[in-house]
Amino acid sequence: RNQGQALMRTNTEAPTAAEQTPSTDKSPNPAKPNTPPLPTMGPMSNDSYGGPSPAAQAAFRRDGKLVRMGWCLIPPLVLGAVAVALMPAYSRPNPFSATGVIIGCAIVGMLWALLQFLVVARVPVVCTRESVTAGSVEDTTARMVEVYDAITVGAESFLRAEYRMCAKFVAFFSIVIFVLVSWGDDWDLTRGCFTAISFVLGALTSMFSGYLGMKVAVFSNVRTTVEAQKPGWTPCFNVAFRAGSVMGFALCGLGVMMLYVTALMFRVHFPAPQDWVFLSEALTGYGLGGSAIAMFGRVGGGIYTKAADVGADLVGKVVHGIPEDDPRNPATIADNVGDNVGDVAGMGSDLFGSFAEATCAALVIGSSIGTTGGWDAMMFPVIVSSVGIPVCLICSFLATHIIPVRTERNVEQALKLQLISTTLLMIPAIYLAAEAFLPAEFPVKATIGVGSYEALQPWEAWICVVMGAVGGLIIGLVTEYYTSHTYRPVREVAQASKTGPATVLIYGIALGYKSVIVPVIVLGTIIYGSFTVCDMYGVSLAAIGMLSNLATGLTIDVYGPVCDNAGGIAEMAELHPHVREKTDALDAAGNTTAAIGKGFAIGSAALVSLALFGAFVTRIRYASEDTLFAYGVNILEPMTFAFIVIGGMIPFAFAAMTMKSVGVAAMQMVMEVQRQFDAKPHLLDDNPTERPDYDACIAISTNASLKQMMPPGAMVICAPLFTGIFFGVGAVSGLLVGSLCASIQLAISMSNSGGAWDNAKKYIEKLPPDHELKGKGSEYHKAAVVGDTVGDPFKDTTGPALNIVMKLMAVLSLVFADTFYAINNGAGVFSV
C-alpha cells in the first residue's frame, strides 16, 4: 500500500520512511563520488540525493492520470449494466437474445480488461537493492524511469503524427465512398451515407485499438522490468501476460460492441428482414475502415521499428560488439519505441480488421437467413465472436492462477496452453450458441446456380466454425515447430552459422519455404470442407472460427513486445545481468508465440479474403440479377486469367516496396549511429562521459516511416479500384484470386524465416562459451545476428502486412461492387 501511494503521489513531497527501499548503504550521500558516471537519458535530479527529475515527474503524473482514468471507467460500465437490468420488461433486451449476449459479453470483456490494467498499475516503479550494479537505488530507479519516459514520449509522438495523416485519409476517402457507392446504386444517398459512416467508425475504432495497445504496452514494460528483479518467474510473467490481456479483451469487447451498435442503428432505417441485405452491405464499410488503418499502421510501424532495429544491430552488435539495447547505442530508444508502434499498435489494428471483415463477409453472404430465422439467427457470426470473450477469460486463469509459471520452461508451455485450452473450450460453447440462436433449418442462397438455396442445420454451421478454430490451432503449432529453438529446424539454422552468414540466410529461407506446406494444406482442407457443408457461408464461418479466441491471440501477441521492451529498459538502466537474462527468456517465448499469432493472422486473412470474394460475387449476382457470375467465375475468360497473373504480382511488388523502405531508413540510421560514434569516441568507453543523441535516431525512424508508408498503401487501395472502374468485375475477380494465392505463400514463408533467424540467434546467446557454437559474442553469434537483421523486415514489416494486402483488396472490391457493375454493366470503362 505504501509503495502504491509513492507511485500515485505527485512527487512534490518527500517519500515516507515506509516507502523508501531499504539500502545497505549508510553513507549520507549514496551517490558515491568515486563511482564512474553512468550513461543517462538526461539529468537525473537537482541534488545529490536522487530526487525526481522533471522527466520522471512527468512520467509519474502521466501514469497517475492513466490509472485515475481507468478507475473512472468502472462506474459507467456498471451503471450501464444496471440500467439495462432496470429497464421495463417490454423494452429490456432478453439476456438470452443476440442483443443480450453480444452486449453482455462485450461489457464483460471491457470490464475484465480494466481490472487487469488496475492490477498491473499496482506494481510500483522502484528498483531493488539486489539489482543495482553501480550507484544508489534512487539513481538507478531514476534512470529506469527516464528510459521508460523516453519510450513513452517517442511512441506517443509517432502515433499522433501517423494518425493525423490517417485522419486526413479517412476524411478524404469517406467522401469517395459516399459519392461512388451512392452513384453505383442510382444515387441512393442513404446507402452511400451509411457505408461512409460505417467506414469512419471502423477507422476510428482501429485507431483507438492501436493507440490503446501502445499505451498499455509502454505502461507495462517498465513494470515487467521491476517484477523481473524479484525471485521467481511468476511475478514478471503475470505482469506481461496481464498487459496483453488488457489489449486483447478491450479490443474484442470494443470491436464487438461498436459493430453491433452500428448494425442496430442501421436497422432503424432497414426494419424489414428482406432489407437486411442492404444493412449488411452498408456494414462492409466498417471492415474497410479497420483494414485501411491497419495497412498504414502495420507498414508505418514496421518500417519505424525495423529501421531502428537493423541500424542498431549492424553498427552496435556487428561492428562494435556492444550488447543489444546498450545505452551507448544512439538507436536503442528508437528500437524500443518501434516495438510498441509496430508489433503492438499495428498487430492490434490488423486483427481488429480481420474480425470486422470476417463478420461483414458472413453477414453479407448469410443475409438471407434473417428472412426465415430472424435477427438473432443472422447475427450468429457476431455471437460466435462474443462467446469467445468469456471463454478466453476463463482460460486466462490457467496461466495466472491454476498453473502459474514457476520455471523458464513453463513460460512457453503456459502460452501454448492458452491457445489449446481456448480452442477446445470454444467447441462446446459454439455448439450451444448454434443450437440456441439458429433455427432448426435455415436457407442460404448458393454461390453457384440460379435460384438454388442450401438448406442448413445448426450442427452444420457449428462444424464450419470448429474447422476454422481447430485449423488455426494446427497452423499455430506448425508455426511453433518451425520458429522455436526447442525444435530441430531452428537449431539447424543455428548450426549453419559455423560457415558464416551466407549459409544462415540460405537455411533460413529454405525453412520459410518448407514451413508453407502444412499450413496451406490445412487451409485448403478447411476451404473444401466448409464450402461442401455450408457453401461460401461456411467459409466465412470458418474464418470467424479461426478468430474466435482472438482475445487470447492478442494477449500473447502483446506479451512478446512488452517483454522485449522490459529487457531493453533493464539493459539501459544497467540492472544486474540476471534481470536481462530473465526478460530475454520471456522474450524468446514471446518470439515464438508472436510467430504463432502471425500464423493465425495469415490463416484467418486467407479465409476472410476468400469469404469477402464470395460476398463480392454474391453482390454482383444480385446487382446484375444473375446475368453475371450465376454459375461462378470463369477463370478461362481472357480478362480474368490475365488479371490472375497480375494479381499474383501485387504481393511481390508490395514486398519490394516495404523491404526497400526499411533498407533506405536503415541506411540513414546506420550512418547516423556511426556519425555519433565518430564524433563522440568516448561513447564506446565502458564508463562513457558523453551522452548519445537519441532524438536524432527517433526523428529518422519517424520521418522515414511516415514518408515510406504511403506508396505501398496507395498501391493496394488503388489496384482493385482502378481495375474495377476501367476493366470490369471479371478483371477484379482475377486480381483478387491471384493476390490471395500469392500473398498466403509469401506471408507465411517470410514470417517464419524471420522468426527462425531471430530465435537461432537467441539460441546461440543462451549457450556457454565452451559449446561448439561458442555462445554470445563469438563469430558464430555474429553470423546469426546478420540472419536476424535480414529477418527483421521479413517477420515484422512485410510478412504481417501481406495478410492486410489480401483482405484490404477484397473488402474494398466488395464495398464498390455496385459501382463497378454500374459502369457498362460490369464491363468497365474500356469494355474489353
Side-chain angles (χ1 to χ4, degrees):
R1 181 172 61 252
N2 290 331
Q3 290 176 328
Q5 292 170 354
L7 173 65
M8 294 297 298
R9 212 190 307 110
T10 60
N11 294 285
T12 58
E13 65 218 33
T16 64
E19 292 166 353
Q20 293 180 358
T21 304
S23 174
T24 57
D25 190 351
K26 303 300 182 182
S27 63
N29 183 358
K32 294 186 177 68
N34 295 328
T35 302
L38 300 173
T40 66
M41 291 297 301
M44 290 299 137
S45 64
N46 296 324
D47 54 66
S48 59
Y49 290 93
S53 68
Q57 293 181 31
F60 283 122
R61 283 196 299 269
R62 185 171 52 246
D63 286 359
K65 186 184 297 184
L66 197 62
V67 172
R68 288 191 292 273
M69 287 174 58
W71 280 108
C72 290
L73 288 174
I74 291 181
L77 290 173
V78 173
L79 287 175
V82 172
V84 171
L86 296 177
M87 287 173 64
Y90 62 86
S91 60
R92 183 191 311 158
N94 184 348
F96 299 106
S97 66
T99 301
V101 170
I102 294 170
I103 299 298
C105 290
I107 291 176
V108 166
M110 288 187 283
L111 275 174
W112 181 250
L114 186 56
L115 291 174
Q116 294 296 289
F117 169 75
L118 295 176
V119 170
V120 173
R122 293 177 62 187
V123 177
V125 185
V126 180
C127 289
T128 62
R129 163 55 60 184
E130 293 76 14
S131 300
V132 175
T133 56
S136 67
V137 170
E138 291 79 8
D139 283 346
T140 304
T141 299
R143 184 162 52 248
M144 184 172 67
V145 173
E146 297 282 353
V147 177
Y148 161 54
D149 179 68
I151 295 171
T152 304
V153 172
E156 286 188 348
S157 299
F158 172 75
L159 279 189
R160 286 174 182 167
E162 182 183 50
Y163 285 167
R164 278 197 297 268
M165 296 182 67
C166 290
K168 295 176 183 178
F169 165 78
V170 169
F172 167 75
F173 205 68
S174 61
I175 298 173
V176 173
I177 290 173
F178 172 73
V179 173
L180 292 182
V181 171
S182 299
W183 176 80
D185 200 37
D186 294 329
W187 288 109
D188 186 342
L189 299 182
T190 301
R191 289 179 59 191
C193 181
F194 280 6
T195 306
I197 289 173
S198 62
F199 169 76
V200 172
L201 289 175
L204 292 177
T205 307
S206 184
M207 284 192 281
F208 180 77
S209 300
Y211 188 77
L212 172 68
M214 179 277 297
K215 292 291 290 184
V216 171
V218 297
F219 182 83
S220 306
N221 54 28
V222 70
R223 288 161 175 81
T224 304
T225 305
V226 169
E227 294 295 89
Q229 300 173 43
K230 299 178 180 178
W233 293 82
T234 305
C236 53
F237 173 84
N238 283 356
V239 168
F241 184 82
R242 287 189 170 111
S245 297
V246 176
M247 172 69 165
F249 287 95
L251 186 147
C252 290
L254 180 66
V256 167
M257 178 82 79
M258 287 294 295
L259 178 61
Y260 190 69
V261 169
T262 305
L264 288 177
M265 290 191 300
F266 290 175
R267 186 184 176 186
V268 174
H269 185 77
F270 299 110
Q274 59 268 24
D275 291 335
W276 288 345
V277 61
F278 305 118
L279 180 152
S280 64
E281 287 167 10
L283 280 177
T284 57
Y286 189 80
L288 176 60
S291 222
I293 299 303
M295 168 60 71
F296 294 120
R298 261 299 191 190
V299 174
I303 293 172
Y304 186 110
T305 181
K306 292 304 114 180
D309 199 355
V310 170
D313 285 352
L314 286 179
V315 183
K317 291 196 289 187
V318 176
V319 177
H320 295 285
I322 60 178
E324 187 172 4
D325 295 317
D326 192 291
R328 296 171 291 177
N329 193 327
T332 190
I333 288 292
D335 183 12
N336 283 284
V337 169
D339 291 335
N340 298 289
V341 299
D343 294 343
V344 177
M347 173 62 83
S349 297
D350 179 7
L351 289 178
F352 165 75
S354 292
F355 152 75
E357 289 159 332
T359 306
C360 292
L363 292 176
V364 170
I365 297 171
S367 58
S368 60
I369 298 174
T371 57
T372 56
W375 177 259
D376 287 8
M378 194 181 83
M379 287 291 132
F380 176 69
V382 187
I383 293 171
V384 171
S385 300
S386 303
V387 169
I389 294 175
V391 167
C392 294
L393 191 156
I394 293 170
C395 292
S396 68
F397 285 100
L398 290 173
T400 56
H401 292 82
I402 300 174
I403 312 177
V405 172
R406 302 191 187 280
T407 64
E408 179 180 346
R409 180 175 294 182
N410 294 153
V411 176
E412 193 169 325
Q413 294 173 351
L415 297 173
K416 191 194 305 185
L417 180 62
Q418 286 295 296
L419 293 173
I420 296 173
S421 60
T422 51
T423 301
L424 295 178
L425 194 57
M426 280 299 297
I427 294 175
I430 296 168
Y431 180 81
L432 294 175
E435 289 292 334
F437 293 101
L438 292 175
E441 188 171 285
F442 56 96
V444 173
K445 189 173 183 179
T447 309
I448 301 173
V450 177
S452 58
Y453 284 81
E454 297 284 344
L456 305 179
Q457 297 178 357
W459 70 267
E460 292 175 310
W462 170 71
I463 284 290
C464 293
V465 179
V466 170
M467 278 194 281
V470 174
L473 177 61
I474 294 172
I475 292 174
L477 296 178
V478 170
T479 303
E480 181 203 20
Y481 174 75
Y482 281 104
T483 56
S484 172
H485 58 59
T486 306
Y487 303 104
R488 181 178 175 183
V490 171
R491 296 195 177 192
E492 287 181 346
V493 175
Q495 290 290 332
S497 65
K498 292 179 179 179
T499 50
T503 47
V504 171
L505 297 177
I506 292 170
Y507 267 70
I509 293 172
L511 179 149
Y513 291 158
K514 190 175 181 181
S515 68
V516 171
I517 298 172
V518 175
V520 167
I521 292 174
V522 170
L523 286 173
T525 304
I526 294 172
I527 292 168
Y528 178 80
S530 57
F531 191 94
T532 301
V533 174
C534 290
D535 203 83
M536 192 59 77
Y537 184 65
V539 177
S540 64
L541 289 180
I544 291 173
M546 197 170 285
L547 293 167
S548 58
N549 56 352
L550 180 58
T552 293
L554 277 168
T555 296
I556 64 175
D557 276 331
V558 175
Y559 160 90
V562 168
C563 295
D564 193 2
N565 260 211
I569 293 173
E571 186 74 34
M572 295 197 71
E574 296 194 342
L575 298 178
H576 194 280
H578 83 269
V579 179
R580 181 59 194 257
E581 291 170 4
K582 189 179 292 186
T583 58
D584 279 350
L586 295 173
D587 183 35
N591 280 338
T592 301
T593 54
I596 294 173
K598 289 167 188 170
F600 267 93
I602 295 168
S604 63
L607 296 177
V608 168
S609 301
L610 182 58
L612 289 168
F613 176 61
F616 170 76
V617 171
T618 301
R619 185 60 203 150
I620 293 298
R621 286 188 59 183
Y622 184 89
S624 66
E625 297 180 349
D626 280 341
T627 59
L628 290 177
F629 301 157
Y631 296 97
V633 178
N634 184 3
I635 65 170
L636 295 181
E637 288 286 341
M639 184 63 69
T640 303
F641 192 85
F643 273 87
I644 288 177
V645 178
I646 295 172
M649 170 273 298
I650 295 291
F652 290 91
F654 178 85
M657 296 170 75
T658 52
M659 293 283 286
K660 185 177 179 181
S661 296
V662 172
V664 170
M667 285 179 64
Q668 297 176 17
M669 188 70 68
V670 167
M671 289 187 286
E672 172 61 24
V673 173
Q674 189 58 53
R675 183 196 67 79
Q676 292 195 35
F677 283 153
D678 293 338
K680 301 176 180 180
H682 293 295
L683 274 180
L684 295 172
D685 294 346
D686 289 338
N687 294 297
T689 56
E690 297 177 296
R691 176 182 181 270
D693 185 1
Y694 300 106
D695 294 338
C697 294
I698 292 175
I700 288 174
S701 277
T702 300
N703 295 333
S705 58
L706 294 178
K707 178 181 178 181
Q708 299 288 339
M709 75 178 185
M710 300 307 294
M715 181 192 70
V716 173
I717 291 172
C718 292
L721 192 59
F722 289 165
T723 300
I725 291 173
F726 292 107
F727 297 98
V729 295
V732 173
S733 300
L735 188 79
L736 296 181
V737 171
S739 172
L740 170 60
C741 293
S743 295
I744 296 172
Q745 331 285 336
L746 195 58
I748 295 174
S749 64
M750 294 187 78
S751 296
N752 289 349
S753 288
W757 279 320
D758 192 356
N759 274 343
K761 177 203 69 175
K762 282 185 165 54
Y763 174 68
I764 294 176
E765 289 175 345
K766 291 179 58 177
L767 299 175
D770 57 352
H771 191 275
E772 60 175 334
L773 295 178
K774 307 299 183 184
K776 190 173 184 178
S778 65
E779 291 300 317
Y780 301 157
H781 177 241
K782 289 183 178 180
V785 168
V786 172
D788 175 42
T789 305
V790 173
D792 279 335
F794 272 54
K795 67 182 176 65
D796 291 324
T797 305
T798 303
L802 281 169
N803 64 66
I804 306 177
V805 170
M806 45 184 162
K807 293 185 301 180
L808 182 55
M809 292 176 65
V811 72
L812 189 142
S813 301
L814 174 59
V815 169
F816 292 107
D818 285 350
T819 305
F820 297 158
Y821 180 74
I823 302 173
N824 291 330
N825 294 326
V829 172
F830 296 150
S831 296
V832 179

